[in-house]
Amino acid sequence: MYSIGQVAKIFDLPISTLRYYDKEGLFPDMQRKGNQRIFTERELECLRVIACLKKSGLEIKDIKQYFVWCREGQATYKFRQEMFNKQRQEIEYEIKQLQATKAMLDFKCWYYEQLLNQNAI
């Protein structure tokens, strides 16, 4: 079991972000001791999923929907699959865009290296 401060350090997140996630219902089974949140491995795994989904470009409202679907069970497998397929397509598009950008930067680096080498002679 972890305190909110410990979890904030583990995930390098502000405590306010963890409170926001809780307020948004992303930790529905979180235990409390008095007024303090108690994080278990379950919440830590939720945070790993949240981090991944945020990096993929999903908004909190969509991540919240994903967790709702998870609680609803097998009937929502198709919705979850569609969500992940859509995000994967978006990430693949972004990767292609970045690869094109990198190719241009690689060319410019090579080009100026050639110019500098010619001037050094």
Side-chain angles (χ1 to χ4, degrees):
M1 297 211 220
Y2 304 89
S3 70
I4 196 167
Q6 291 169 318
V7 174
K9 286 180 185 174
I10 291 169
F11 286 89
D12 193 27
L13 289 171
I15 289 174
S16 60
T17 297
L18 296 171
R19 288 183 179 134
Y20 172 72
Y21 290 168
D22 184 29
K23 185 182 111 200
E24 288 298 311
L26 300 181
F27 310 123
D29 300 321
M30 181 182 289
Q31 301 172 26
R32 296 190 190 285
K33 184 183 265 186
N35 214 14
Q36 292 185 333
R37 295 166 178 87
I38 305 296
F39 289 79
T40 64
E41 287 301 322
R42 180 182 175 121
E43 284 79 32
L44 298 187
E45 184 56 31
C46 285
L47 282 167
R48 289 181 192 98
V49 172
I50 292 166
C52 176
L53 295 177
K54 282 186 59 98
K55 285 179 187 174
S56 81
L58 276 182
E59 296 179 12
I60 290 296
K61 68 179 179 69
D62 299 316
I63 296 170
K64 185 176 178 178
Q65 180 61 63
Y66 168 73
F67 283 119
V68 167
W69 287 335
C70 288
R71 287 190 299 277
E72 290 176 358
Q74 293 179 353
T76 63
Y77 283 173
K78 187 69 176 164
F79 300 130
R80 291 184 254 173
Q81 180 189 39
E82 289 169 358
M83 175 184 277
F84 284 115
N85 282 334
K86 180 178 179 269
Q87 281 313 110
R88 182 175 58 190
Q89 288 174 347
E90 290 184 23
I91 292 298
E92 288 170 351
Y93 176 77
E94 287 179 36
I95 289 169
K96 286 180 185 175
Q97 296 295 103
L98 287 171
Q99 286 172 334
T101 301
K102 182 182 178 300
M104 175 59 82
L105 292 173
D106 288 344
F107 171 76
K108 290 296 186 181
C109 288
W110 172 85
Y111 177 78
Y112 287 108
E113 184 177 333
Q114 298 306 308
L115 290 175
L116 289 169
N117 287 339
Q118 286 177 0
N119 289 337
I121 298 176

